[in-house]
Amino acid sequence: PDAAAPEGAEPYADFTRDEGEILFDPVPFDHPLTVLFSSGTTGKPKAIVHSHGGLLLEHYKAMGLHFGMSEADTAFWFSTTGWMVWTLGVSSLLVGAAVVLEDGDPNWPTLDGEWSQWAILAETEATYLGTGAAYLAACAHAGLEPGKKWDLSRVREIQCSGTPLAADVAGWVYESVSPDLLLAPTSGGTDICAAFIGASPLTPVYAGEMSCRPLGVAVQSWDPQGRPAATGMAGELVATRPMPSMPVFFWGDENFERYRNSYFGAYEGVWRHGDWLIRTERGSWVTTGRSDATLNRGGVRLGTAEFYAVLDGLRNVQDSMVLHFEDGGGMGKLVLRVEVAADVDEKQLGADIRTTLRSVLSPRHVPDYVVFVPSIPRNPTGKRLDIPLKRVMQGAVTGEDIDLGAVVRPDDVGDTVQRVNRVLAHG
């Protein structure tokens, strides 16, 4: 508190000392409000322009109805300013909730240290947590018991996104955090700065699934012919009707060409998001990964999330990534990259992984190669960067064409690529 402000910076107390006049400037509904950038993991980043009215309506609905927020809530949204969750979190102010911000690494010095998200929740007496599914998985697999170490009795809801939440991690939340909260796994995107699939106070929670479509969101799962996919079968996530927060344009996109190709190139007049989506017999929903990262072995489609639901729960597997390299119509090569702790018997672990995938999933899920690597490429929000890694190894682009600044441990990427290319070339 007594530290001097850095050179060129103005202390917040000085900045807020004098009251100023609030100015209101009426603008049209679709007037540009903010620019969000896509991650750049599947190509050149898109500068996505969102409108005043679109975000206001979508976020007001989410905060007031789906999240049930009010002036009685304190919301802790853990997010960098570049993630869409930051913009969503700021909208907590629409319903009068207080907002908690954390500047620091929640893993330092340890997962259960003083900067832990659980420690911040307890200290601020927050009632709502918005976090990443990858963070919950890391805590679960590390054996943390936040509900015993901290007083989290005030937390009534945890929303998580970024990656699909595995069923075992969902169970851990209720067993080790609190049995009395609402767990709300959500799938949305920077493109709409909102959710396509999520939860509500009125729908049941099923481990490994998402409860419902948000109000006013006409999401369906479609087959390649543009028909609703059968229950239990993976199809393309599409939005058949407009949403208020669909972007108004891409910055610098003359004639809306890239905008149309990005969302409406597959189905005329229908938004295709690029995720595989399954509707269950209960009316809940499951995403199984990006549709352009799906594995196709001999004509059978395998969702990457199926693998991770099993691998994330295996002892000694710290992280993993699976890719399929096609060979012109055959089975292709399925390569599994695994990050492990030190002093692990890699040969035995590789055999255990193959046995587990065969028995829990199917023989088609057994990888041709298990490659042990120093780390799995992820971006700061926890997303696996499988698509760009595959493109690098296939020679579609060079490493320089991918923004390694979006990778948490960029120095490991070159080593990972070399190890995988080595087994693909020599077996």
Side-chain angles (χ1 to χ4, degrees):
D2 299 327
E7 183 180 353
E10 182 178 3
Y12 188 72
D14 294 346
F15 179 72
T16 57
R17 179 172 293 125
D18 299 326
E19 292 188 5
E21 182 184 359
I22 299 177
L23 302 178
F24 296 92
D25 185 11
V27 295
F29 184 95
D30 62 354
H31 189 82
L33 171 65
T34 186
V35 180
L36 297 180
F37 291 88
S38 62
S39 62
T41 56
T42 57
K44 183 180 178 182
K46 301 187 289 285
I48 303 168
V49 181
H50 288 284
S51 69
H52 279 70
L55 288 191
L56 181 70
L57 273 183
E58 197 65 49
H59 290 181
Y60 216 163
K61 173 200 74 178
M63 298 300 162
L65 299 177
H66 281 272
F67 306 156
M69 274 192 198
S70 71
E71 294 179 356
D73 283 296
T74 298
F76 175 25
W77 296 86
F78 186 84
S79 174
T80 66
T81 55
W83 195 14
M84 59 145 286
V85 172
W86 168 268
T87 305
L88 185 67
V90 169
S91 292
S92 303
L93 302 173
L94 286 171
V95 291
V99 179
V100 173
L101 306 177
E102 177 183 2
D103 180 14
D105 180 0
N107 303 316
W108 185 90
T110 60
L111 267 175
D112 60 351
E114 60 184 315
W115 286 96
S116 164
Q117 293 183 30
W118 311 112
I120 302 298
L121 272 176
E123 178 183 349
T124 60
E125 300 183 353
T127 59
Y128 187 95
L129 172 64
T131 188
Y135 180 78
L136 296 180
C139 293
H141 299 148
L144 266 60
E145 295 183 302
K148 291 183 178 180
K149 183 168 183 176
W150 295 281
D151 179 6
L152 302 177
S153 59
R154 294 176 179 82
V155 181
R156 63 171 184 80
E157 181 165 344
I158 294 179
Q159 186 201 130
C160 58
S161 56
T163 54
L165 186 71
D168 69 307
V169 181
W172 171 86
V173 169
Y174 282 104
E175 292 171 2
S176 301
V177 179
S178 170
D180 300 320
L181 55 77
L182 174 66
L183 181 61
T186 301
S187 179
T190 302
D191 312 78
I192 59 166
C193 197
F196 283 119
I197 303 291
S200 87
L202 306 178
T203 48
V205 177
Y206 296 99
E209 302 173 8
M210 288 171 283
S211 298
C212 65
R213 295 176 291 189
L215 294 167
V217 180
V219 159
Q220 295 184 17
S221 174
W222 276 14
D223 66 17
Q225 287 71 46
R227 300 170 302 199
T231 298
M233 299 298 293
E236 292 275 3
L237 189 162
V238 299
T240 60
R241 301 289 297 274
M243 291 174 61
S245 64
M246 286 177 176
V248 286
F249 59 88
F250 292 167
W251 196 272
D253 178 30
E254 301 294 336
N255 301 318
F256 295 87
E257 181 177 358
R258 193 179 183 203
Y259 186 108
R260 285 192 293 267
N261 290 338
S262 295
Y263 306 127
F264 301 101
Y267 306 105
E268 182 66 29
V270 173
W271 177 292
R272 169 189 173 271
H273 194 60
D275 285 344
W276 288 127
L277 181 66
I278 298 173
R279 187 180 189 276
T280 75
E281 66 277 4
R282 292 178 290 277
S284 57
W285 302 83
V286 177
T287 56
T288 60
R290 295 290 297 175
S291 56
D292 45 10
T294 296
L295 321 173
N296 191 324
R297 302 206 80 187
V300 178
R301 233 166 29 189
L302 309 178
T304 53
E306 301 172 24
F307 288 84
Y308 303 138
V310 174
L311 295 168
D312 287 351
L314 287 183
R315 185 170 175 268
N316 293 324
V317 174
Q318 294 187 331
D319 205 354
S320 61
M321 178 186 288
V322 62
L323 286 182
H324 181 244
F325 295 89
E326 298 80 3
D327 59 2
M331 292 292 287
K333 298 297 182 184
L334 195 64
V335 180
L336 174 65
R337 279 152 303 288
V338 179
E339 177 187 347
V340 297
D343 303 323
V344 170
D345 185 339
E346 295 181 353
K347 184 176 181 180
Q348 181 60 50
L349 180 57
D352 292 344
I353 288 173
R354 288 185 167 91
T355 300
T356 302
L357 290 173
R358 179 184 296 274
S359 60
V360 176
L361 297 176
S362 79
R364 288 185 182 270
H365 290 79
V366 177
D368 296 288
Y369 304 108
V370 177
V371 182
F372 294 95
V373 297
S375 69
I376 299 300
R378 287 180 179 264
N379 72 5
T381 65
K383 288 186 179 179
R384 291 176 172 91
L385 303 181
D386 44 2
I387 300 170
L389 192 68
K390 180 177 179 180
R391 293 173 66 204
V392 169
M393 288 186 284
Q394 289 182 318
V397 295
T398 64
E400 289 73 23
D401 289 330
I402 291 177
D403 179 14
L404 292 182
V407 183
V408 173
R409 292 166 62 178
D411 295 339
D412 292 344
V413 173
D415 189 4
T416 297
V417 170
Q418 289 180 5
R419 295 188 189 199
V420 174
N421 277 336
R422 194 176 303 128
V423 299
L424 288 174
H426 306 294

